[in-house]
Amino acid sequence: MKWEWSAVSDFMPHFWDGLIVTLQALVLGSLISFVLGLVWALLMRAPTRWVTWPVGAVTEFIRNTPLLVQLFFLFYVLPEWGLTFSALTTGVFAIGLHYSTYTMQVYRAGIEAVPVGQWEAATALNLPLRRTWTAVILPQAVRRVVPALGNYVISMLKDTPMLMAITVLEMLGEARLFSQQHFQFTEPLTVIGFAFIVISYLASLALRALERRLVH
């Protein structure tokens, strides 16, 4: 095996294209998972089983179904029902939807960790329910769950190569296409492997800094 720097140089334009797509999928997918996960968590606290039972059933189904199956379903089945989206849009939504069922459990744990006294104090002050959630409960809950949410961001990063299955050319997709066209696999695959390590490390540093800021 011979390492060729010329292959690395030739691959880099494709790598940057794939990196942009990977970061788009990661950022947008994370936002969807965070927002939708919070919605699921709040709905699960509804006082009626007519809300909690369907939400629980749907989230359990999504969480226990492989992400790859969900990608194929959204990309290949929905068009038969008249719903057609771009491959990247489908992939972003699939990742966000899938991981929202995990962030939901994180939010649930954070909400339950808020001391009962905080609820009682809000009641004693006669705060409206909406104000209780936005000003008292959620700020404390979110502060507690930032590390766990950060772990799922890194997990989402490592799952972005699955988007290649629905024709999205993220980093691995670009590397695979380049390798098949030029019959050089070592260099492009090494480059994206190193890129995943660097991005994960930088994300970890950012999350630690955010955690320290929230704690203090």
Side-chain angles (χ1 to χ4, degrees):
M1 180 184 70
K2 183 180 178 181
W3 180 269
E4 297 185 10
W5 286 106
S6 60
V8 176
S9 178
D10 293 338
F11 172 64
M12 289 311 293
H14 304 277
F15 166 75
W16 293 121
D17 291 340
L19 176 62
I20 292 173
V21 174
T22 295
L23 294 178
Q24 286 178 332
L26 175 63
V27 172
L28 296 177
S30 297
L31 290 175
I32 291 174
S33 70
F34 293 162
V35 173
L36 190 55
L38 180 58
V39 172
W40 294 137
L42 295 178
L43 289 176
M44 286 298 292
R45 296 184 66 87
T48 172
R49 295 182 63 183
W50 292 104
V51 174
T52 60
W53 189 88
V55 171
V58 168
T59 54
E60 281 297 318
F61 177 81
I62 294 172
R63 184 165 58 248
N64 291 291
T65 306
L67 174 57
L68 190 58
V69 173
Q70 295 168 15
L71 283 168
F72 283 156
F73 182 88
L74 293 174
F75 190 67
Y76 293 110
V77 177
L78 287 189
E80 297 182 2
W81 296 351
L83 298 173
T84 303
F85 304 97
S86 69
L88 180 57
T89 300
T90 301
V92 166
F93 179 73
I95 288 179
L97 177 65
H98 184 78
Y99 275 93
S100 71
T101 61
Y102 292 95
T103 59
M104 175 192 75
Q105 298 298 333
V106 173
Y107 285 124
R108 179 189 61 79
I111 292 171
E112 292 179 355
V114 175
V116 177
Q118 298 296 312
W119 295 90
E120 295 173 345
T123 302
L125 293 172
N126 200 28
L127 291 179
L129 182 61
R130 180 178 178 181
R131 181 66 174 170
T132 299
W133 277 104
T134 58
V136 179
I137 305 303
L138 288 181
Q140 296 183 62
V142 171
R143 187 179 299 115
R144 297 169 186 270
V145 302
V146 166
L149 292 177
N151 290 335
Y152 284 121
V153 171
I154 295 174
S155 295
M156 278 186 270
L157 171 65
K158 292 188 289 187
D159 275 347
T160 54
M162 287 193 183
L163 302 187
M164 181 176 56
I166 57 171
T167 73
V168 175
L169 290 179
E170 39 64 62
M171 287 195 295
L172 182 60
E174 290 284 2
R176 180 186 179 189
L177 182 62
F178 180 88
S179 298
Q180 291 175 338
Q181 292 175 342
H182 297 83
F183 301 100
Q184 292 172 307
F185 293 87
T186 302
E187 293 83 0
L189 292 176
T190 301
V191 168
I192 66 162
F194 182 73
F196 273 110
I197 293 173
V198 171
I199 296 172
S200 297
Y201 179 69
L202 293 177
S204 298
L205 292 179
L207 290 167
R208 290 173 189 169
L210 178 59
E211 182 182 357
R212 287 194 298 268
R213 183 174 180 180
L214 290 174
V215 170
H216 297 91

